[in-house]
Amino acid sequence: MTKYEVTLEKEACDGIFACLTRDPRFVEDEDGLATIDPDADPIYDATGEETVTVEAGRVVATFDDDRVDETKKAAQACPVDAIEVREVSE
């Protein structure tokens, strides 16, 4: 499995939500913009190894699973490049 970090810049997000259709862990937040919720996917159970922090307009999530391709597709679909995905070493 791959450990990877996902960064979502809330200020850059414009609420088009193209990411939501590629990775169901991206959801609409109370502010009408995207955020990340590991428990939002009805098909896959969150493992409990995920971390999500929100600070200064940035959502940073770390995952250790085999779904990095879905997340990369969500980032590629974002028309304002608000999402970055990078693999991290253990």
Side-chain angles (χ1 to χ4, degrees):
M1 291 202 217
T2 303
K3 186 171 185 175
Y4 55 99
E5 182 178 272
V6 184
T7 303
L8 169 63
E9 298 290 344
K10 298 282 279 188
E11 288 183 20
C13 179
D14 61 4
I16 290 177
F17 302 123
C19 56
L20 275 65
T21 64
R22 278 35 174 224
D23 185 335
R25 295 174 292 187
F26 287 91
V27 295
E28 183 175 355
D29 204 354
E30 297 169 355
D31 59 7
L33 301 174
T35 193
I36 303 169
D37 180 358
D39 295 316
D41 189 333
I43 296 173
Y44 295 96
D45 287 331
T47 64
E49 299 297 317
E50 305 85 357
T51 61
V52 179
T53 58
V54 180
E55 57 185 56
R58 174 181 285 170
V59 180
V60 179
T62 303
F63 297 100
D64 187 6
D65 58 36
D66 60 356
R67 300 177 63 196
V68 69
D69 288 336
E70 289 176 52
T71 308
K72 286 180 179 179
K73 287 178 184 174
Q76 292 169 349
C78 180
V80 294
D81 296 325
I83 303 167
E84 178 185 351
V85 181
R86 66 181 188 89
E87 294 182 21
V88 294
S89 58
E90 297 292 325

